[in-house]
Amino acid sequence: MPLFFPHFDRRRLPLLLALIALLVGVTAAMLAGIRSFDASTRWVTHSYEVQGQIEAVRSALGHAEATARGFRLSDDPGLEAQYREVRQLPLQRAEALLQTVRDNPEQHGRAEALRDRVRERVQQIDHSVSLQTAGRGAEANRDMLLRGVPLDAALERVATEMERHEQRLLDSRRTDNDRSSTRLRAVVVGGMAVSLAMLGMLLSMVGREARRARRHEQQARDAVETLEAAAVQRERLGEQRRTLAAFAGLLHSCQSVDEVLDVAGNALAQLVPHGAGACYTMRASQNLLERHVLFGTRGEEYAEFIRPDQCWALRRGDAHAWDPRRPTAFCEHLRGMTEEQACGICVPLTSQGVVLGVLHVSSRLGEPLSEYERAAVESVGEHLGVVLHSLDLRESLRMQSLRDPLTGLYNRRYLEESLPREAERCERRGRPLSVLMLDVDHFKRFNDEHGHAAGDALLARIGQVLAATTRGEDIACRFGGEEFTVVMPEADVEQATARAEQIRAAIAEASILYLGRELGPVTASIGVDELRAGMDTPQTMMARADRALYAAKAQGRNRVLRVGAATTG
């Protein structure tokens, strides 16, 4: 040492060596802790992936079962073809799960058992579909009852065992992750504190060597700042990973779009602390997107509805950022916002080629989001797209149970679920809501003359007419027997009466083909009423529309009557 530093005091050598050894040890401990933390995080992510794939197996098998059930109920060749297309998907999902857990012999054995149960269940469904195709529908239904229920129970037991095992692994890995994080913070804080104390002692001892001391001091400060910045950055990235992992885990437990968006808003509030954002979800008509406020804003600056062509992210199918300092394209739906409100990123919410909505997040600082914030927002958008698509699939399966098999319209159960919800939504937004009560005239006489099978053909034809003459947002239901109900959100009584006249005329002009004969014509009587905000319940509105219906029958049938006025056909 004196050879290179002739003024170096040997008394400082032990302190210098100790400081170097401490810094090396702290750095090595930090690197080891980071590797341990990254490994724990990967295993946590692996557990979420396994749980998601188990749910995917259930979803794919449920979709195949629902399609086969629809074919058995309706004998529709299109549903049979659809089943042939999706029948292999449960096995593919089970194989993918098997590959994911190949590193865990215990889970691998369960995955093999699950795959075998799925294969057996698919074979049993194939058999019932074959029986239905051969015209042996009753036998197919008995086969499903005798064999399908035990197979489903066995399959669910295996899936539940896998989920419980994976949850135990996940809890253990979270605990290990927390311990690793705590140890890493303790090593960093303690090591840096001791290092700074020893560095101060060393600098005080070399005070006489002013120039060299100042240079060493500056170098030491730079090193400390670099270590602090690296520690802060690592901590921020670790927190971001934990937030995203927790967000992904919660998403799989959400049961509704509102729950999904609430979880997403909480996650984004942590990932972009000074930001704000809103999400637009695609309506059933596929021509408008509806606003949902997520975090950091009341939403007044956002348009309530936008079209898909007003957002560059939806046009391009990729994330689109806007920076006022750079010449980038400006989304039409952000018109009217300040630069601070608009400066941010739009992320399309898509899954399997289906556009589900768009997510907009801004920094509210007049500056673009950082690279890490942008990556986090895109990750949230990707998870949102997958989960929203999964909810749509789940909702479509639920909707199949809410359809009347004869007419294809919604059944009374769905009417009782949806009417209060639509009434509350329209009343909250100050929009009207109307309801039509429709009854087929002389239906009993038609049945007596032509038989019940012909009556069923008539009701099915009425269902086709209602489906063709109502709007996409209307809710057409079979209320019971020959009675039908149409709920018309955001339509006043005049608009509803005009639409009822169109329906009445379409029914009167419709032809009913049965066994090669054309039956009819038939007519219908319709009662119309509008919800009175703050005064009505859905039940009282339905009762008034029902009274108007019977008044229309009393006045000669084949007419539309609304409360307080009548229109004759």
Side-chain angles (χ1 to χ4, degrees), residues 406 443 446-447 450-461 514 519:
L406 178 61
F443 182 72
F446 186 93
N447 264 352
H450 305 290
H452 289 287
D456 288 346
L458 169 60
L459 294 177
R461 185 73 178 101
Y514 176 69
L519 307 179

Side-chain angles (χ1 to χ4, degrees), residues 440-451 521 523 557:
V440 180
D441 296 330
H442 302 299
F443 182 72
K444 184 177 182 303
R445 185 172 66 190
F446 186 93
N447 264 352
D448 294 340
E449 291 179 0
H450 305 290
T523 61
R557 294 183 172 83

